[in-house]
Amino acid sequence: MLEFVIAGLVLGGIYAIASAGLVITYTASGILNFAFGAMAFFIARFYYYLHTEHSWSILTAAIVAIGIAGPLMGIALYAVLFRHLRFRSPLIKVVATVGLLVAIPAIATVIFGSGAILQAPGLAPEPVHVYQFLGVPVTLDQIIVYICVVATVVVGAVVLRYTEVGLKVRAMVDSPAMTDLSGTNPDFVSAGVWAVSVFFAGLTGVLAAPIIGLDANNFTLLVAAAFAAVIAAKMRSLPIAVGVGLLMGIATSLAQRYLPANSQWTAEVIDAIPFIVIALVLLYNLVRRGRVGEIDRVGGALDRAITPQGESKLAGSTTSALESGSLSLVSKYAGPLLLIVVVSLLPLVLQGYWVGLTAEAFAFAVIFLSWTLVTGEGGMLWLCQITFAGIGAVTTAEMANNHGWPVLVAVLAGGVVAMVIGLIVGLLSIRLGDLYVALVTLTFGLLVENLVFTLPRFVNSGLGLTLNRPSFATSDRTFAYVCLVAFFIVALFILNFRRSTSGLAMNAVRWSDPGARSTGVSVVQMKVTVAALGALVAGIGGGLLALQQTSIVPNEFATFLGVVWLAVLVTFGIRSTAAALMAGLAFVMLPALAQHYLPTWTGNILPILFGLGAITAAKYPEGTLAEQSRMFRGWLLRISDRQRAPVFADALSPDASVVNGDVGGVAGAREGAVMVEKVP
C-alpha cells in the first residue's frame, strides 16, 4: 500500500502545483485560467526542444524554458489581454481564456512541429536514478516533484504573508484603486502575479511530461482535474488547494490498487475521480450554503465606483438596436436574405465531396444554435453542449437501430432525451455563479465522456454505431437541404422567442438578475427553460450530424473538442443565428480547403485564428461578424442621414416658413431633426 501512496503523491504533487498557479491568478485577478494546461504544454514542449532536440543541459534548458520563457509569457499575455479583463464579466473572462486554450497548442505545433512525443524527460538526469525508501523504490523524478510541492507551499506562504511583495499583492486584491493611491502600481503587481502563474504552469508541464507525454489534450485534462482542488479551496486558499491535490493523487493511486485491474470500467472510473470530487464538493456546498458563487473580484467601494460600465455579458448593445430600428426593411434584412440565398445554392453549385461537407456544416450550425440560446440569450456559459449533441446522436442510433423508429423521429427523440438531461443539469446548477456553472457543465461533460460514451454498447469495438438516412434523403445533396431546413426552423424559433414575452423576460434576466426579480420575472424558470431548449437543439443537431456521417463514434464528442466549437462560434458572434450558420460553414469548409489547396502546416493556422477570434470577445462581446454588421448598418444610416438632410434644411428655412405661414411646420421639422440626430 505504501508503494501506491508514494506513487499517488507524485500525481497529487502535480495537481497541487497546478492548483497553486490557478489559485494565485484567480485570487489576484478574478480570472480562472482555463488555458493553464495549454501554457504548461507550451513550456514543456519548449523544454523538450531545448534539452532533447538541441542537447542543452537540464539546468540550462529548465532555466530558459521555465524560469525565463514562462514568466515572459505571463507578462506578455497580461499586457496584451489579461489587464483588459479585470472588470469584465465571468463569461467574457472564461471565453477569452478558452480562446487561449485553443490557440496556444496550435502555436506550439507551428513552432516546434507536430510529431507525437509519447515519452519526455523530466528534470532528473537519464537514466533516472532509483532510491529505496522503506523498501519502496522512489525515482529521482518523484523526489523532485516532492521538493517542488514543499517549496511551493513554504515559499508561497512566506512570501504572501511575511514579505513586502506579499503585502502589495494582498492589498491589490482588496482594492487596486487604493493600492494605486498608496504609490504602488497595480499593473506592475498584476504582471508579476501572471509571471509567477505561468512559471507554475511551466513547472507543472515539465514535471508531468514523463508521466503523460507531450500531448496538449492530456495537459488540458490534467489541469481540468486540478480544478477539483481549486473548487475545494473556494478558489482562495493555497494550502487547501495543495492538500486536496495531494489527496486526489493518493485516491487515484489507491483506486488502481483495489479496483479490478483488467476492467475497462476501472480505467474510466480512475480517470473520472477528480470530476467526481468536483461534483461532491459543489453538492456539499449547495446543501450547506444554499448557493455557490464566485466572490466579486472588483475590489472595494472605490474600485466599483470607477469601474467602466460597458457590456457586461455576451449580449447585444443598445446602439445596435437603435441603428437597426432606423434602417429601412431592405437595408435591415438585405444581409440575412443574401446569406440565405447563397447557402441555399451551395449544395446545387458544389459537387461530390464538397456537397457532403455542406450537409455536415449545416448540422454543425444547428448545434451551434444551442449556444446561441444558452449563452447568447440566457447569458450562461455551458461547456457541455457537445455532450448533449453526443447524447442526441447515441439516442438516435439506439432508437432507429434497436427499436425500429423512423430515423427523423429518432432524431427528435434524441433531442428530447438531451432536453430532459439538460433540464436536470439546469436545476442543479441554477444556484451557482457564472464561473461555477462553466465548471459544472465542463465536469458533467467529462463525466459523461468517461463513464457513458465509453460503454461497450456504444463503442462497439471501436466501430461505433451505424445509421441509415431517411429513404427520401439518401444523397448528400438532399440531406444537406434537410439539415438546412432544420437550421432555418430552429433559427426562426430563436428569433420569435427573442421577440416574445418570454424572450424579453430572458433579456432582463441576462442583464440583471436582481432587476428582473424586482419586476416579477422568475429567474429560475427562465434560465432552466433556456437551458433545456439549448440541450434540445444540441441533441437534434447531434442526431443530424450522426445521420450525415452514417456512423457515430462517441469519442468524437469529446468535451474539449466542444471548447473548440465554442471558440469558432464566439469568433463570429454568440447571439446571431446568421453567425451560427457562418461558423458551421467555416468550421467544416476552411480545414477542407486548407487540406486540399494549401501546404500541410497551414492546418494549424485555423485553430490559431479561431482562438484569437474568441479572445476578441474581450473587446467585441457580440463577435466579429456582429461588429462588422453593426459598422455596416452605421454606414448605411449615415448615408441615409445625408440624403434626408436637405429636406430638413428646406423645412427649417425661415423664408419657406413665413411665406406659407406654417409656424407649426417649422417646429415639427426641428423636432424631427433633433430625433434623427439622436438616433445614431
Side-chain angles (χ1 to χ4, degrees):
M1 179 176 176
L2 180 60
E3 179 180 357
F4 286 91
V5 172
I6 291 176
L9 285 173
V10 177
L11 180 60
I14 295 172
Y15 285 153
I17 295 171
S19 62
L22 292 167
V23 167
I24 287 172
T25 51
Y26 182 80
T27 302
S29 65
I31 299 174
L32 185 59
N33 186 9
F34 280 76
F36 191 91
M39 296 175 181
F41 168 74
F42 186 93
I43 300 300
R45 184 64 183 85
F46 184 40
Y47 173 79
Y48 182 88
Y49 172 82
L50 296 176
H51 175 53
T52 303
E53 297 180 359
H54 286 77
S55 302
W56 287 32
S57 68
I58 291 176
L59 180 60
T60 306
I63 291 174
V64 172
I66 303 174
I68 298 177
L72 287 178
M73 176 188 285
I75 294 171
L77 288 174
Y78 174 77
V80 173
L81 175 64
F82 292 126
R83 70 188 181 93
H84 302 293
L85 294 178
R86 181 171 183 84
F87 298 114
R88 288 292 190 177
S89 71
L91 287 180
I92 293 179
K93 291 177 180 178
V94 170
V95 167
T97 57
V98 162
L100 286 177
L101 170 63
V102 174
I104 289 177
I107 293 173
T109 302
V110 170
I111 296 175
F112 303 117
S114 58
I117 302 173
L118 301 179
Q119 291 185 341
L123 294 176
E126 294 183 322
V128 180
H129 191 75
V130 180
Y131 302 91
Q132 294 292 323
F133 177 74
L134 299 178
V136 177
V138 181
T139 67
L140 182 57
D141 265 332
Q142 293 174 323
I143 294 174
I144 292 174
V145 172
Y146 304 148
I147 293 173
C148 290
V149 173
V150 173
T152 298
V153 176
V154 174
V155 175
V158 170
V159 169
L160 287 176
R161 288 184 175 274
Y162 302 109
T163 66
E164 183 179 356
V165 173
L167 178 63
K168 291 179 179 179
V169 171
R170 287 184 282 122
M172 189 201 66
V173 170
D174 293 334
S175 176
M178 293 300 296
T179 303
D180 195 10
L181 290 175
S182 68
T184 300
N185 188 341
D187 285 332
F188 180 79
V189 177
S190 295
V193 168
W194 278 101
V196 172
S197 175
V198 182
F199 168 83
F200 278 123
L203 183 60
T204 300
V206 173
L207 293 177
I211 302 174
I212 64 175
L214 284 176
D215 183 272
N217 291 330
N218 291 341
F219 279 93
T220 302
L221 288 172
L222 178 73
V223 174
F227 284 155
V230 177
I231 292 174
K234 300 179 182 178
M235 303 187 188
R236 292 180 61 85
S237 174
L238 183 62
I240 293 178
V242 170
V244 173
L246 292 172
L247 290 176
M248 281 199 310
I250 295 173
T252 301
S253 184
L254 291 178
Q256 292 176 326
R257 166 69 175 83
Y258 291 106
L259 292 178
N262 298 324
S263 171
Q264 178 66 26
W265 180 81
T266 298
E268 306 304 336
V269 169
I270 289 174
D271 291 339
I273 283 177
F275 312 118
I276 294 173
V277 171
I278 292 176
L280 292 176
V281 169
L282 288 174
L283 285 174
Y284 170 76
N285 285 323
L286 279 174
V287 171
R288 182 180 177 187
R289 300 167 56 195
R291 177 176 175 82
V292 181
E294 57 273 6
I295 298 173
D296 185 5
R297 306 305 310 163
V298 173
L302 178 58
D303 300 276
R304 288 189 290 272
I306 64 175
T307 299
Q309 300 300 316
E311 299 281 344
S312 62
K313 301 242 183 183
L314 297 173
S317 67
T318 307
T319 304
S320 298
L322 288 173
E323 290 174 351
S324 298
S326 304
L327 297 174
S328 66
L329 289 177
V330 175
S331 301
K332 189 185 301 184
Y333 296 109
L337 288 175
L338 179 61
L339 178 62
I340 291 172
V341 171
V342 170
V343 298
S344 299
L345 291 176
L346 279 179
L348 294 176
V349 175
L350 299 176
Q351 300 294 327
Y353 167 75
W354 300 98
V355 178
L357 289 184
T358 60
E360 184 177 350
F362 297 154
F364 272 111
V366 174
I367 298 174
F368 290 161
L369 285 177
S370 67
W371 270 299
T372 304
L373 269 170
V374 173
T375 305
E377 298 301 318
M380 300 174 290
L381 185 60
W382 282 37
L383 298 179
C384 63
Q385 298 306 103
I386 189 173
T387 306
F388 292 128
I391 291 171
V394 168
T395 304
T396 299
E398 284 286 307
M399 294 295 112
N401 295 337
N402 299 330
H403 299 278
W405 288 29
V407 67
L408 292 182
V409 176
V411 169
L412 292 176
V416 171
V417 171
M419 180 182 69
V420 173
I421 298 175
L423 182 65
I424 296 171
V425 174
L427 288 172
L428 292 176
S429 62
I430 198 65
R431 291 181 293 172
L432 302 175
D434 290 338
L435 182 55
Y436 281 98
V437 167
L439 288 172
V440 165
T441 52
L442 178 68
T443 301
F444 168 75
L446 291 169
L447 285 173
V448 173
E449 178 185 337
N450 282 280
L451 301 180
V452 178
F453 287 168
T454 55
L455 293 175
R457 179 184 184 89
F458 303 142
V459 175
N460 192 22
S461 302
L463 300 176
L465 304 172
T466 59
L467 282 164
N468 294 319
R469 295 175 185 172
S471 58
F472 67 88
T474 55
S475 69
D476 286 339
R477 181 169 285 108
T478 306
F479 190 73
Y481 282 110
V482 171
C483 294
L484 185 58
V485 168
F487 173 85
F488 285 147
I489 292 173
V490 177
L492 287 173
F493 169 79
I494 293 175
L495 293 176
N496 287 327
F497 174 81
R498 188 176 292 165
R499 295 173 180 143
S500 67
T501 304
S502 298
L504 294 175
M506 190 67 250
N507 187 56
V509 171
R510 183 177 68 249
W511 283 105
S512 173
D513 283 3
R517 289 192 186 94
S518 67
T519 62
V521 174
S522 174
V523 173
V524 172
Q525 179 181 347
M526 293 310 306
K527 286 191 173 183
V528 170
T529 299
V530 171
L533 290 174
L536 170 67
V537 173
I540 292 174
L544 292 174
L545 184 61
L547 287 179
Q548 191 279 329
Q549 298 175 346
T550 67
S551 65
I552 190 66
V553 179
N555 62 13
E556 294 177 357
F557 295 95
T559 306
F560 280 104
L561 177 59
V563 173
V564 179
W565 295 5
L566 176 61
V568 175
L569 178 60
V570 171
T571 300
F572 287 90
I574 198 70
R575 294 199 72 228
S576 169
T577 54
L581 183 56
M582 294 293 294
L585 288 168
F587 181 70
V588 175
M589 293 296 189
L590 291 182
L593 290 170
Q595 183 179 2
H596 279 75
Y597 301 109
L598 297 176
T600 305
W601 65 270
T602 59
N604 293 297
I605 299 298
L606 291 176
I608 296 174
L609 295 178
F610 289 141
L612 296 178
I615 292 171
T616 60
K619 185 175 183 180
Y620 305 119
E622 300 174 59
T624 55
L625 181 64
E627 178 64 20
Q628 296 301 318
S629 176
R630 187 192 68 79
M631 294 173 63
F632 180 70
R633 289 197 302 269
W635 178 71
L636 290 178
L637 190 59
R638 286 192 293 273
I639 292 177
S640 176
D641 287 345
R642 293 194 191 101
Q643 292 175 347
R644 283 181 287 182
V647 176
F648 288 109
D650 293 339
L652 291 171
S653 171
D655 295 335
S657 303
V658 171
V659 169
N660 294 309
D662 187 9
V663 179
V666 174
R670 286 175 178 168
E671 185 178 46
V674 171
M675 291 177 63
V676 171
E677 186 178 358
K678 289 182 177 179
V679 167

